[in-house]
Amino acid sequence: MTTILVTGGTGTLGRLLVPRLRAADHAVRVLSRSAHEPEDGVEFVKGDLATGEGVEAAVAGAETVVHLAGSSKGDGEKAANLVKAAVDAGTRHLVYISVVGADRVPVVSGADRAMFGYYASKHAAERAVAESGIPWTTLRATQFHDLMLLTARQMAKLPVIPAPSGFQAQPVDADEVAARLAELALGPPAGLVDDLAGPRVYPLADLIRGYLRARGKHRAIVPVRVPGKAARAMREGANLAPDRAVGRRTWEEFLTDRVGAAA
Ligand SMILES: NC(=O)c1ccc[n+]([C@@H]2O[C@H](COP(=O)([O-])OP(=O)(O)OC[C@H]3O[C@@H](n4cnc5c(N)ncnc54)[C@H](OP(=O)(O)O)[C@@H]3O)[C@@H](O)[C@H]2O)c1
């Protein structure tokens, strides 16, 4: 039995991964910015990757570190702080979840950074992991259904929905990503593995329409041209992996389960 630290173990993906690692009979520790009581054999350590507080204690004795913690900004710095502590602690395998397009969405101008800075920060985090000297595995996934649903819910609050023209998405089920990550975390370090993408590519407006239909809502969707190099890369499909459409659960199936009505 080895100890596996999961950063982001309280998040959408982490909550699906942690039980899988426990089921494989490993001791699981979760790093969180809030205090939690131990539950189902999972130990929690309070810490913050943005400041480095508590990170040393979190990685101590963990042979494997699965780094899922993330937010819209600053993932490069969070990864660097984690890597520093993991090197000092002698971690043997560092597993990272990144996003499809991390290496293909150029973030150059202020306009790029405002909307797509996330991709640059994931790329910086990928580099921190790959250059750590610790044997590593990185998986890039497309957007999770849950995030797409959150986005659609927010947009549906508007009387008219602006949809960036030419943007597409290929949402994937977070549970399928968690299953793949469990396999990778329990296996040997594998470097950059094949992308994991959802079963279909959709125009962004169609994904929103699917949500509106499931909710019985009617909204006008207006195409909006987004400026900048990053937006152009998005229009060219930098965030998609059509040749890796290995996810099985579709957006429609997810919506039927989550929103209720036939999507
Ligand atoms: N969502 C997507 O569509 C998608 C697609 C591809 C890749 N990813 C990547 O997958 C990972 C997980 O995504 P998710 O949707 O599951 O995220 P989420 O639900 O938003 O959860 C974020 C997690 O990160 C932790 N976290 C955030 N800032 C932290 C900090 N400064 N220090 C320590 N922990 C911190 C949070 O823990 P506490 O709140 O408990 O501190 C929480 O567990 C992220 O790295 C994301 O970039 C996501």
Side-chain angles (χ1 to χ4, degrees):
M1 176 157 127
T2 59
T3 298
I4 303 179
L5 170 69
V6 182
T7 76
T10 56
T12 303
L13 182 59
R15 284 195 305 267
L16 298 166
L17 174 66
V18 165
R20 286 185 156 89
L21 300 177
R22 280 291 301 142
D25 264 351
H26 290 280
V28 180
R29 188 183 294 158
V30 166
L31 172 72
S32 171
R33 286 165 298 175
S34 331
H36 300 262
E37 289 302 315
E39 57 181 39
D40 303 327
V42 177
E43 174 198 0
F44 289 83
V45 173
K46 188 169 176 290
D48 188 332
L49 287 164
T51 62
E53 173 222 328
V55 180
E56 198 180 318
V59 295
E63 287 88 342
T64 299
V65 172
V66 186
H67 180 37
L68 312 179
S71 54
S72 57
K73 281 190 188 147
D75 279 4
E77 288 80 5
K78 291 189 204 66
N81 286 335
L82 178 66
V83 160
K84 189 170 175 300
V87 168
D88 293 347
T91 296
R92 300 230 285 263
H93 186 188
L94 185 53
V95 181
Y96 183 55
I97 181 72
S98 188
V99 67
V100 169
D103 58 333
R104 292 196 299 241
V105 177
V107 177
V108 184
S109 64
D112 293 338
R113 194 158 301 282
M115 262 185 95
F116 303 100
Y118 170 73
Y119 287 88
S121 72
K122 296 304 281 185
H123 201 206
E126 284 187 3
R127 287 196 301 271
V129 168
E131 291 164 10
S132 63
I134 301 170
W136 58 278
T137 303
T138 290
L139 171 68
R140 292 178 180 148
T142 51
Q143 205 171 52
F144 306 158
H145 288 138
D146 308 74
L147 184 63
M148 196 58 237
L149 177 60
L150 194 70
T151 308
R153 278 195 175 126
Q154 294 297 334
M155 287 184 146
K157 290 182 182 155
L158 302 168
V160 174
I161 301 179
S165 56
F167 280 31
Q168 295 176 289
Q170 190 178 356
V172 68
D173 204 68
D175 198 47
E176 293 172 359
V177 180
R180 177 71 178 128
L181 275 173
E183 190 178 47
L184 293 168
L186 300 174
L192 182 63
V193 298
D194 287 343
D195 293 349
L196 177 45
R200 288 186 207 160
V201 174
Y202 304 77
L204 196 58
D206 284 4
L207 289 165
I208 298 166
R209 272 189 206 101
Y211 169 75
L212 293 170
R213 201 159 46 240
R215 289 292 316 273
K217 284 183 175 238
H218 299 277
R219 294 282 185 279
I221 300 181
V222 183
V224 178
R225 182 89 178 165
V226 181
K229 285 198 166 72
R232 188 195 304 152
M234 295 292 283
R235 283 191 291 276
E236 290 167 359
N239 59 324
L240 311 173
D243 55 333
R244 289 291 305 157
V246 293
R248 298 173 73 89
R249 195 176 185 207
T250 65
W251 172 240
E252 291 79 8
E253 287 164 350
F254 172 84
L255 279 179
T256 302
D257 292 347
R258 282 296 177 87
V259 183

